[in-house]
Coordinates of all heavy atoms in Angstrom, one line a residue:
M401 N -4.5 -4.2 -25.4 CA -4.2 -3.3 -24.2 C -5.3 -3.5 -23.1 O -6.5 -3.6 -23.5 CB -4.1 -1.9 -24.6 CG -3.6 -1.0 -23.6 SD -3.2 0.6 -24.3 CE -2.9 1.5 -22.8
T402 N -4.9 -3.6 -21.9 CA -5.9 -3.8 -20.8 C -6.1 -2.5 -20.1 O -5.3 -1.5 -20.2 CB -5.4 -4.8 -19.8 OG1 -4.2 -4.3 -19.2 CG2 -5.1 -6.2 -20.4
D403 N -7.2 -2.4 -19.4 CA -7.6 -1.2 -18.7 C -6.7 -1.1 -17.4 O -6.3 -2.1 -16.8 CB -9.0 -1.3 -18.2 CG -10.0 -1.1 -19.4 OD1 -9.6 -0.5 -20.4 OD2 -11.1 -1.7 -19.3
P404 N -6.4 0.1 -17.0 CA -5.7 0.3 -15.7 C -6.5 -0.3 -14.6 O -7.7 -0.4 -14.6 CB -5.6 1.8 -15.6 CG -5.8 2.3 -17.0 CD -6.7 1.4 -17.7
V405 N -5.8 -0.6 -13.5 CA -6.4 -1.2 -12.3 C -6.2 -0.2 -11.1 O -5.1 0.1 -10.8 CB -5.9 -2.6 -12.0 CG1 -6.5 -3.1 -10.7 CG2 -6.0 -3.5 -13.1
R406 N -7.3 0.2 -10.5 CA -7.2 1.2 -9.4 C -7.6 0.4 -8.1 O -8.6 -0.2 -8.1 CB -8.1 2.4 -9.6 CG -8.0 3.4 -8.5 CD -8.8 4.7 -8.8 NE -8.3 5.4 -10.0 CZ -7.3 6.2 -10.1 NH1 -6.5 6.4 -9.1 NH2 -7.0 6.8 -11.3
L407 N -6.8 0.6 -7.1 CA -7.0 0.0 -5.8 C -6.9 1.0 -4.6 O -6.2 2.0 -4.8 CB -6.0 -1.1 -5.5 CG -5.8 -2.2 -6.5 CD1 -4.6 -3.1 -6.1 CD2 -7.0 -3.1 -6.6
K408 N -7.6 0.6 -3.5 CA -7.4 1.4 -2.3 C -7.1 0.4 -1.2 O -7.8 -0.6 -1.0 CB -8.7 2.1 -2.0 CG -8.7 2.9 -0.7 CD -10.0 3.7 -0.5 CE -11.0 2.8 0.3 NZ -12.2 3.6 0.8
A409 N -6.0 0.6 -0.5 CA -5.6 -0.2 0.6 C -5.7 0.5 1.9 O -5.2 1.7 2.0 CB -4.2 -0.7 0.4
T410 N -6.4 -0.1 2.9 CA -6.6 0.6 4.2 C -5.8 -0.1 5.2 O -5.9 -1.4 5.4 CB -8.1 0.6 4.5 OG1 -8.8 1.2 3.5 CG2 -8.3 1.3 5.9
F411 N -5.0 0.6 5.9 CA -4.1 0.1 7.0 C -4.6 0.6 8.3 O -4.8 1.9 8.5 CB -2.7 0.5 6.8 CG -2.1 0.0 5.5 CD1 -2.3 0.7 4.3 CD2 -1.3 -1.1 5.5 CE1 -1.8 0.3 3.1 CE2 -0.7 -1.6 4.3 CZ -1.0 -0.9 3.1
I412 N -4.9 -0.2 9.3 CA -5.3 0.2 10.6 C -4.2 -0.2 11.6 O -4.0 -1.3 12.0 CB -6.6 -0.6 11.0 CG1 -7.7 -0.5 10.0 CG2 -7.1 -0.1 12.4 CD1 -8.2 0.9 9.7
P413 N -3.4 0.9 12.0 CA -2.3 0.6 13.0 C -2.8 0.2 14.4 O -3.9 0.6 14.8 CB -1.6 1.9 13.0 CG -2.1 2.7 11.9 CD -3.5 2.2 11.6
N414 N -2.0 -0.6 15.0 CA -2.2 -0.9 16.4 C -2.1 0.5 17.2 O -1.4 1.4 16.7 CB -1.2 -1.8 17.0 CG -1.5 -3.3 16.6 OD1 -2.6 -3.7 16.4 ND2 -0.4 -4.0 16.5
E415 N -2.7 0.6 18.3 CA -2.6 1.8 19.1 C -1.1 2.1 19.3 O -0.3 1.3 19.7 CB -3.3 1.7 20.4 CG -3.4 3.0 21.2 CD -4.3 2.9 22.4 OE1 -5.2 2.1 22.4 OE2 -4.0 3.6 23.4
G416 N -0.7 3.4 19.0 CA 0.6 3.8 19.3 C 1.6 3.4 18.2 O 2.8 3.8 18.3
E417 N 1.2 2.8 17.1 CA 2.1 2.3 16.1 C 1.9 3.1 14.7 O 2.5 2.7 13.7 CB 1.9 0.8 15.8 CG 2.1 -0.1 17.0 CD 3.6 -0.1 17.3 OE1 4.4 0.6 16.7 OE2 3.9 -0.9 18.2
F418 N 1.2 4.2 14.7 CA 0.9 4.9 13.5 C 2.2 5.3 12.8 O 2.4 5.1 11.6 CB 0.1 6.2 13.8 CG 0.0 7.1 12.6 CD1 -0.9 6.9 11.6 CD2 0.9 8.2 12.5 CE1 -1.0 7.8 10.5 CE2 0.8 9.1 11.4 CZ -0.1 8.8 10.4
F419 N 3.2 5.9 13.5 CA 4.4 6.4 12.9 C 5.2 5.2 12.3 O 5.9 5.4 11.3 CB 5.2 7.3 13.8 CG 4.4 8.6 14.1 CD1 3.8 8.8 15.3 CD2 4.4 9.6 13.1 CE1 3.1 10.0 15.5 CE2 3.7 10.7 13.3 CZ 3.0 10.9 14.5
R420 N 5.3 4.1 13.0 CA 6.0 3.0 12.5 C 5.4 2.4 11.2 O 6.1 2.0 10.3 CB 6.2 1.9 13.6 CG 7.1 2.3 14.7 CD 7.3 1.3 15.8 NE 7.9 0.1 15.3 CZ 7.9 -1.0 15.9 NH1 7.3 -1.1 17.1 NH2 8.5 -2.1 15.4
V421 N 4.0 2.4 11.2 CA 3.3 1.9 10.0 C 3.6 2.9 8.8 O 3.9 2.5 7.7 CB 1.8 1.7 10.3 CG1 1.1 1.5 9.0 CG2 1.6 0.6 11.2
K422 N 3.5 4.2 9.1 CA 3.7 5.2 8.1 C 5.2 5.1 7.5 O 5.4 5.2 6.3 CB 3.4 6.6 8.6 CG 3.7 7.7 7.6 CD 2.6 8.6 7.5 CE 2.8 9.8 6.5 NZ 3.9 9.9 5.7
L423 N 6.1 4.9 8.4 CA 7.5 4.8 8.0 C 7.7 3.5 7.1 O 8.3 3.6 6.0 CB 8.4 4.7 9.2 CG 9.9 4.5 8.9 CD1 10.5 5.6 8.0 CD2 10.7 4.3 10.1
A424 N 7.1 2.4 7.4 CA 7.2 1.2 6.6 C 6.6 1.5 5.2 O 7.1 1.1 4.2 CB 6.5 0.0 7.3
L425 N 5.5 2.2 5.2 CA 4.8 2.5 3.9 C 5.7 3.4 3.1 O 5.8 3.3 1.9 CB 3.4 3.1 4.2 CG 2.3 2.1 4.6 CD1 1.1 2.8 5.1 CD2 2.0 1.1 3.5
D426 N 6.2 4.5 3.7 CA 7.1 5.4 3.0 C 8.2 4.7 2.3 O 8.6 5.0 1.2 CB 7.6 6.5 4.0 CG 6.5 7.5 4.4 OD1 5.5 7.6 3.7 OD2 6.7 8.2 5.4
I427 N 8.8 3.8 3.0 CA 10.0 3.0 2.5 C 9.5 2.2 1.3 O 10.1 2.2 0.2 CB 10.6 2.1 3.5 CG1 11.3 3.0 4.6 CG2 11.6 1.1 2.9 CD1 11.8 2.3 5.8
A428 N 8.4 1.5 1.4 CA 7.8 0.7 0.3 C 7.4 1.5 -0.9 O 7.6 1.2 -2.0 CB 6.6 -0.1 0.8
I429 N 6.8 2.7 -0.6 CA 6.3 3.6 -1.7 C 7.5 3.9 -2.6 O 7.3 3.9 -3.8 CB 5.6 4.8 -1.1 CG1 4.3 4.4 -0.5 CG2 5.5 5.9 -2.1 CD1 3.6 5.5 0.3
E430 N 8.6 4.3 -2.1 CA 9.8 4.7 -2.9 C 10.2 3.5 -3.8 O 10.5 3.8 -5.0 CB 11.0 5.1 -2.0 CG 10.8 6.4 -1.4 CD 12.1 6.8 -0.6 OE1 13.2 6.5 -1.1 OE2 12.0 7.5 0.4
E431 N 10.2 2.3 -3.3 CA 10.6 1.2 -4.1 C 9.5 0.8 -5.2 O 9.8 0.6 -6.3 CB 10.8 0.0 -3.2 CG 11.4 -1.2 -3.9 CD 11.7 -2.3 -2.9 OE1 11.9 -2.1 -1.7 OE2 11.9 -3.5 -3.4
V432 N 8.2 0.8 -4.7 CA 7.1 0.4 -5.6 C 6.9 1.4 -6.8 O 6.6 1.0 -7.9 CB 5.8 0.2 -4.8 CG1 4.6 0.0 -5.8 CG2 6.0 -1.0 -3.9
Q433 N 7.1 2.6 -6.5 CA 6.9 3.6 -7.6 C 7.9 3.4 -8.8 O 7.6 3.9 -9.9 CB 7.0 5.1 -7.0 CG 5.9 5.4 -6.2 CD 6.0 6.8 -5.6 OE1 7.1 7.3 -5.4 NE2 4.9 7.4 -5.2
R434 N 8.9 2.7 -8.6 CA 9.9 2.4 -9.7 C 9.5 1.1 -10.4 O 10.2 0.7 -11.4 CB 11.3 2.3 -9.1 CG 11.8 3.6 -8.6 CD 13.3 3.5 -8.2 NE 13.6 2.6 -7.2 CZ 13.7 2.9 -5.9 NH1 13.5 4.1 -5.5 NH2 14.0 2.0 -5.0
E435 N 8.5 0.4 -9.9 CA 8.1 -0.9 -10.6 C 7.4 -0.6 -11.9 O 6.7 0.3 -12.1 CB 7.2 -1.7 -9.7 CG 7.8 -2.2 -8.4 CD 6.9 -3.0 -7.6 OE1 5.7 -3.3 -8.0 OE2 7.3 -3.4 -6.4
P436 N 7.6 -1.6 -12.9 CA 6.9 -1.4 -14.2 C 5.4 -1.4 -14.0 O 4.9 -2.2 -13.2 CB 7.4 -2.7 -14.9 CG 8.6 -3.1 -14.3 CD 8.5 -2.7 -12.8
G437 N 4.8 -0.5 -14.7 CA 3.3 -0.4 -14.6 C 2.7 0.4 -13.5 O 1.5 0.6 -13.5
C438 N 3.5 0.9 -12.6 CA 3.0 1.6 -11.4 C 2.8 3.1 -11.9 O 3.7 3.8 -12.2 CB 4.0 1.6 -10.3 SG 3.4 2.6 -8.8
L439 N 1.5 3.4 -11.9 CA 1.1 4.8 -12.3 C 0.8 5.7 -11.1 O 1.0 6.9 -11.1 CB -0.1 4.7 -13.2 CG 0.0 3.9 -14.4 CD1 -1.3 3.8 -15.2 CD2 1.1 4.4 -15.3
Q440 N 0.4 5.0 -9.9 CA 0.2 5.8 -8.7 C 0.4 4.8 -7.5 O -0.1 3.6 -7.6 CB -1.2 6.4 -8.6 CG -1.4 7.1 -7.3 CD -2.9 7.5 -7.1 OE1 -3.8 7.0 -7.7 NE2 -3.1 8.5 -6.3
Y441 N 1.1 5.2 -6.5 CA 1.2 4.4 -5.3 C 1.6 5.4 -4.2 O 2.8 5.7 -4.1 CB 2.3 3.3 -5.5 CG 2.3 2.2 -4.5 CD1 1.5 1.1 -4.7 CD2 3.1 2.2 -3.4 CE1 1.4 0.0 -3.8 CE2 3.1 1.1 -2.5 CZ 2.3 0.1 -2.7 OH 2.2 -1.0 -1.8
E442 N 0.6 5.9 -3.5 CA 0.8 7.0 -2.6 C -0.2 7.0 -1.5 O -1.4 6.6 -1.7 CB 0.9 8.3 -3.3 CG -0.4 8.7 -3.9 CD -0.3 10.0 -4.7 OE1 0.5 10.9 -4.3 OE2 -1.1 10.2 -5.7
I443 N 0.2 7.5 -0.4 CA -0.8 7.7 0.7 C -1.6 8.9 0.4 O -1.1 10.0 0.0 CB 0.0 8.0 2.0 CG1 0.7 6.7 2.5 CG2 -1.0 8.5 3.1 CD1 1.7 6.9 3.6
T444 N -2.9 8.7 0.4 CA -3.9 9.8 0.0 C -4.7 10.3 1.2 O -5.4 11.3 1.0 CB -4.8 9.3 -1.2 OG1 -5.4 8.1 -0.8 CG2 -4.0 9.1 -2.4
E445 N -4.7 9.5 2.3 CA -5.4 9.9 3.5 C -4.8 9.3 4.7 O -4.3 8.1 4.6 CB -6.9 9.4 3.3 CG -7.8 9.9 4.4 CD -9.2 9.3 4.2 OE1 -9.6 9.1 3.1 OE2 -9.8 9.0 5.2
E446 N -4.6 10.0 5.7 CA -4.1 9.5 6.9 C -4.6 10.1 8.2 O -4.9 11.3 8.2 CB -2.5 9.5 6.9 CG -2.0 10.9 6.9 CD -0.5 11.0 6.9 OE1 0.1 10.7 5.8 OE2 0.1 11.2 7.9
S447 N -4.7 9.4 9.2 CA -5.1 9.8 10.6 C -4.5 8.8 11.5 O -3.9 7.8 11.1 CB -6.6 9.9 10.7 OG -7.2 8.6 10.7
E448 N -4.6 9.1 12.8 CA -3.9 8.2 13.8 C -4.5 6.8 13.8 O -3.9 5.9 14.2 CB -4.1 8.8 15.2 CG -3.2 10.0 15.5 CD -1.7 9.7 15.5 OE1 -1.4 8.7 16.0 OE2 -1.0 10.5 15.0
D449 N -5.8 6.7 13.2 CA -6.4 5.4 13.3 C -6.5 4.7 11.9 O -6.9 3.5 11.9 CB -7.8 5.5 13.9 CG -8.7 6.3 13.1 OD1 -8.3 7.1 12.3 OD2 -9.9 6.2 13.4
R450 N -6.0 5.3 10.9 CA -6.0 4.6 9.6 C -5.1 5.4 8.6 O -5.0 6.6 8.6 CB -7.4 4.3 9.0 CG -8.0 5.6 8.5 CD -9.4 5.2 8.0 NE -10.0 6.4 7.4 CZ -10.9 6.4 6.4 NH1 -11.3 5.3 5.9 NH2 -11.3 7.6 6.0
I451 N -4.6 4.6 7.6 CA -3.9 5.2 6.5 C -4.4 4.5 5.2 O -4.6 3.3 5.1 CB -2.4 4.8 6.6 CG1 -1.8 5.4 7.9 CG2 -1.6 5.3 5.4 CD1 -0.4 5.0 8.2
I452 N -4.7 5.4 4.2 CA -5.2 4.9 3.0 C -4.1 5.1 1.9 O -3.5 6.2 1.8 CB -6.5 5.8 2.5 CG1 -7.6 5.8 3.6 CG2 -7.0 5.3 1.1 CD1 -8.2 4.4 3.8
L453 N -3.8 4.0 1.2 CA -2.9 4.0 0.1 C -3.6 3.8 -1.2 O -4.4 2.8 -1.3 CB -1.9 2.9 0.3 CG -0.8 2.7 -0.7 CD1 0.3 3.8 -0.5 CD2 -0.1 1.4 -0.6
S454 N -3.5 4.7 -2.1 CA -4.1 4.6 -3.4 C -3.1 4.1 -4.4 O -2.0 4.5 -4.5 CB -4.6 6.0 -3.9 OG -5.6 6.4 -3.0
E455 N -3.6 3.1 -5.2 CA -2.7 2.5 -6.2 C -3.4 2.6 -7.6 O -4.6 2.4 -7.7 CB -2.5 1.0 -5.9 CG -1.9 0.7 -4.6 CD -1.7 -0.7 -4.3 OE1 -1.3 -1.5 -5.3 OE2 -1.9 -1.2 -3.2
L456 N -2.6 2.7 -8.6 CA -3.1 2.7 -10.0 C -2.0 1.9 -10.8 O -0.8 2.3 -10.8 CB -3.3 4.1 -10.6 CG -3.8 4.1 -12.0 CD1 -5.2 3.4 -12.2 CD2 -3.9 5.6 -12.5
W457 N -2.4 0.8 -11.4 CA -1.5 0.0 -12.2 C -1.9 0.0 -13.7 O -3.1 0.0 -14.0 CB -1.5 -1.4 -11.6 CG -0.9 -1.4 -10.3 CD1 -1.6 -1.3 -9.1 CD2 0.5 -1.5 -10.0 NE1 -0.7 -1.2 -8.1 CE2 0.6 -1.3 -8.6 CE3 1.6 -1.6 -10.7 CZ2 1.8 -1.4 -7.9 CZ3 2.9 -1.6 -10.1 CH2 3.0 -1.5 -8.7
A458 N -1.0 0.0 -14.6 CA -1.3 0.1 -16.0 C -2.0 -1.2 -16.5 O -2.8 -1.1 -17.4 CB 0.0 0.2 -16.8
S459 N -1.8 -2.3 -15.8 CA -2.5 -3.5 -16.3 C -2.6 -4.5 -15.1 O -1.9 -4.4 -14.1 CB -1.7 -4.2 -17.4 OG -0.5 -4.8 -16.9
E460 N -3.5 -5.5 -15.3 CA -3.7 -6.6 -14.3 C -2.4 -7.4 -14.2 O -2.0 -7.7 -13.0 CB -4.8 -7.5 -14.8 CG -5.3 -8.4 -13.7 CD -6.1 -7.8 -12.7 OE1 -7.0 -6.9 -13.0 OE2 -6.0 -8.1 -11.5
G461 N -1.7 -7.6 -15.3 CA -0.4 -8.4 -15.2 C 0.6 -7.7 -14.4 O 1.4 -8.3 -13.6
E462 N 0.8 -6.4 -14.5 CA 1.7 -5.6 -13.7 C 1.4 -5.6 -12.3 O 2.2 -5.6 -11.4 CB 1.9 -4.2 -14.3 CG 2.7 -4.3 -15.7 CD 2.6 -3.1 -16.6 OE1 1.5 -2.5 -16.6 OE2 3.6 -2.8 -17.2
L463 N 0.0 -5.5 -12.0 CA -0.4 -5.6 -10.6 C -0.1 -6.9 -10.0 O 0.4 -7.0 -8.9 CB -1.9 -5.3 -10.5 CG -2.6 -5.6 -9.1 CD1 -2.0 -4.7 -8.1 CD2 -4.1 -5.4 -9.2
D464 N -0.3 -8.0 -10.8 CA 0.0 -9.3 -10.3 C 1.5 -9.5 -10.0 O 1.9 -10.0 -9.0 CB -0.4 -10.4 -11.3 CG -1.9 -10.6 -11.4 OD1 -2.6 -10.2 -10.5 OD2 -2.3 -11.1 -12.4
A465 N 2.4 -8.9 -10.9 CA 3.8 -9.0 -10.6 C 4.2 -8.2 -9.4 O 5.0 -8.7 -8.5 CB 4.5 -8.4 -11.8
H466 N 3.6 -7.1 -9.2 CA 3.8 -6.3 -8.0 C 3.4 -7.1 -6.7 O 4.1 -7.1 -5.7 CB 3.0 -5.0 -8.0 CG 2.7 -4.3 -6.7 ND1 3.7 -3.7 -6.0 CD2 1.6 -4.2 -6.0 CE1 3.2 -3.3 -4.8 NE2 1.9 -3.6 -4.8
S467 N 2.2 -7.7 -6.8 CA 1.7 -8.4 -5.6 C 2.6 -9.6 -5.2 O 2.6 -9.9 -4.0 CB 0.3 -9.0 -5.9 OG -0.6 -8.0 -6.2
K468 N 3.4 -10.1 -6.1 CA 4.3 -11.2 -5.8 C 5.7 -10.7 -5.6 O 6.6 -11.6 -5.3 CB 4.3 -12.2 -6.9 CG 2.9 -12.9 -7.1 CD 2.9 -13.7 -8.4 CE 1.5 -14.2 -8.6 NZ 1.3 -14.7 -10.0
G469 N 6.0 -9.4 -5.7 CA 7.3 -8.9 -5.6 C 7.9 -8.7 -4.2 O 7.2 -8.8 -3.2
A470 N 9.2 -8.4 -4.2 CA 9.9 -8.2 -3.0 C 9.4 -7.1 -2.1 O 9.4 -7.2 -0.9 CB 11.4 -8.0 -3.3
A471 N 9.0 -6.0 -2.8 CA 8.6 -4.8 -2.0 C 7.3 -5.2 -1.2 O 7.3 -4.8 0.0 CB 8.3 -3.7 -2.9
V472 N 6.4 -5.9 -1.7 CA 5.2 -6.3 -1.0 C 5.5 -7.3 0.1 O 5.0 -7.1 1.2 CB 4.1 -6.8 -1.9 CG1 3.0 -7.5 -1.2 CG2 3.6 -5.8 -2.9
Q473 N 6.4 -8.2 -0.2 CA 6.8 -9.2 0.8 C 7.5 -8.5 2.0 O 7.2 -8.8 3.2 CB 7.7 -10.3 0.2 CG 7.1 -11.0 -1.0 CD 5.7 -11.6 -0.7 OE1 5.5 -12.2 0.3 NE2 4.8 -11.4 -1.6
D474 N 8.4 -7.6 1.7 CA 9.1 -6.8 2.7 C 8.1 -6.0 3.5 O 8.2 -5.9 4.8 CB 10.2 -5.9 2.1 CG 11.3 -6.7 1.5 OD1 11.4 -7.9 1.8 OD2 12.1 -6.1 0.8
L475 N 7.2 -5.3 2.9 CA 6.2 -4.5 3.6 C 5.3 -5.4 4.5 O 5.1 -5.0 5.7 CB 5.3 -3.7 2.6 CG 4.2 -2.8 3.2 CD1 4.9 -1.8 4.1 CD2 3.4 -2.2 2.1
N476 N 4.9 -6.5 4.0 CA 4.0 -7.3 4.8 C 4.8 -7.8 6.1 O 4.2 -7.9 7.2 CB 3.5 -8.5 4.0 CG 2.5 -8.2 3.0 OD1 1.8 -7.1 3.2 ND2 2.3 -9.0 2.0
E477 N 6.0 -8.1 5.9 CA 6.9 -8.6 7.0 C 7.0 -7.4 8.0 O 6.9 -7.6 9.2 CB 8.2 -9.0 6.5 CG 9.1 -9.7 7.6 CD 10.4 -10.2 7.1 OE1 10.3 -10.9 6.0 OE2 11.4 -10.0 7.7
S478 N 7.3 -6.2 7.5 CA 7.5 -5.0 8.4 C 6.2 -4.7 9.2 O 6.3 -4.3 10.3 CB 7.9 -3.8 7.6 OG 9.1 -4.0 6.9
L479 N 5.1 -4.9 8.6 CA 3.8 -4.6 9.2 C 3.2 -5.7 10.1 O 2.2 -5.4 10.7 CB 2.8 -4.1 8.1 CG 3.1 -2.9 7.3 CD1 2.1 -2.7 6.3 CD2 3.3 -1.7 8.2
S480 N 3.8 -6.9 10.0 CA 3.1 -8.0 10.6 C 2.7 -7.8 12.1 O 1.6 -8.3 12.5 CB 4.0 -9.3 10.5 OG 5.2 -9.1 11.2
A481 N 3.4 -7.1 12.9 CA 3.1 -6.9 14.3 C 2.5 -5.5 14.6 O 2.3 -5.2 15.7 CB 4.3 -7.2 15.2
L482 N 2.4 -4.7 13.5 CA 2.0 -3.3 13.7 C 0.6 -3.0 13.4 O 0.1 -1.9 13.7 CB 2.9 -2.4 12.9 CG 4.4 -2.5 13.1 CD1 5.1 -1.6 12.1 CD2 4.8 -2.2 14.5
L483 N -0.2 -3.9 12.8 CA -1.5 -3.6 12.4 C -2.6 -4.3 13.3 O -2.4 -5.4 13.7 CB -1.7 -4.1 10.9 CG -0.9 -3.4 9.9 CD1 -1.2 -4.0 8.5 CD2 -1.1 -1.9 9.9
A484 N -3.7 -3.6 13.5 CA -4.7 -4.1 14.3 C -5.6 -5.1 13.6 O -6.3 -5.9 14.2 CB -5.6 -2.9 14.8
E485 N -5.6 -5.1 12.3 CA -6.3 -6.0 11.4 C -5.6 -6.1 10.1 O -4.8 -5.3 9.7 CB -7.8 -5.6 11.3 CG -7.9 -4.2 10.7 CD -9.4 -3.7 10.8 OE1 -9.9 -3.5 11.9 OE2 -9.9 -3.5 9.7
P486 N -6.0 -7.2 9.3 CA -5.3 -7.3 8.0 C -5.6 -6.1 7.1 O -6.7 -5.5 7.2 CB -6.0 -8.6 7.4 CG -6.5 -9.3 8.6 CD -6.9 -8.3 9.6
V487 N -4.7 -5.9 6.2 CA -4.9 -4.8 5.2 C -6.1 -5.1 4.4 O -6.3 -6.2 3.9 CB -3.7 -4.6 4.3 CG1 -3.9 -3.5 3.3 CG2 -2.4 -4.4 5.2
K488 N -7.0 -4.1 4.2 CA -8.2 -4.2 3.4 C -7.9 -3.6 2.0 O -7.6 -2.4 1.9 CB -9.4 -3.5 4.0 CG -10.6 -3.6 3.2 CD -11.8 -2.9 4.0 CE -13.0 -3.0 3.1 NZ -14.1 -2.2 3.8
V489 N -7.9 -4.4 1.0 CA -7.6 -3.9 -0.4 C -8.9 -4.0 -1.2 O -9.5 -5.1 -1.3 CB -6.5 -4.7 -1.1 CG1 -6.2 -4.2 -2.5 CG2 -5.2 -4.7 -0.2
E490 N -9.3 -2.9 -1.8 CA -10.5 -2.8 -2.6 C -10.2 -2.3 -4.0 O -9.4 -1.4 -4.1 CB -11.5 -1.8 -1.9 CG -11.9 -2.1 -0.5 CD -12.6 -0.9 0.1 OE1 -13.8 -0.9 -0.2 OE2 -12.0 -0.1 0.8
R491 N -10.9 -2.8 -5.0 CA -10.8 -2.2 -6.3 C -11.8 -1.0 -6.3 O -12.9 -1.2 -5.8 CB -11.2 -3.2 -7.4 CG -10.1 -4.3 -7.5 CD -10.5 -5.2 -8.6 NE -9.5 -6.3 -8.7 CZ -8.6 -6.3 -9.7 NH1 -8.6 -5.4 -10.6 NH2 -7.6 -7.3 -9.6
V492 N -11.4 0.1 -6.9 CA -12.3 1.2 -7.0 C -12.4 1.7 -8.4 O -11.7 1.3 -9.2 CB -11.8 2.4 -6.0 CG1 -11.9 2.0 -4.6 CG2 -10.3 2.7 -6.3

């Protein structure tokens, strides 16, 4: 058995795009929470200039599968023109 993997993803919306970024994340969250191994995938902090998404995965393998999955690809496509900088993902 492997240890759970905890991540923090920071999204910096372009000026005036906060609500569109949040909507894209809300849609993705519903889908990702149904993925195998997802223990937490939720917005834990938000302001007009950033949104923090906290993730907890049961294993490295399930995180890898998530990273290559349709939900992440769709989210990245939805956010491509809405973010001021690339998403910053950190292990915590």
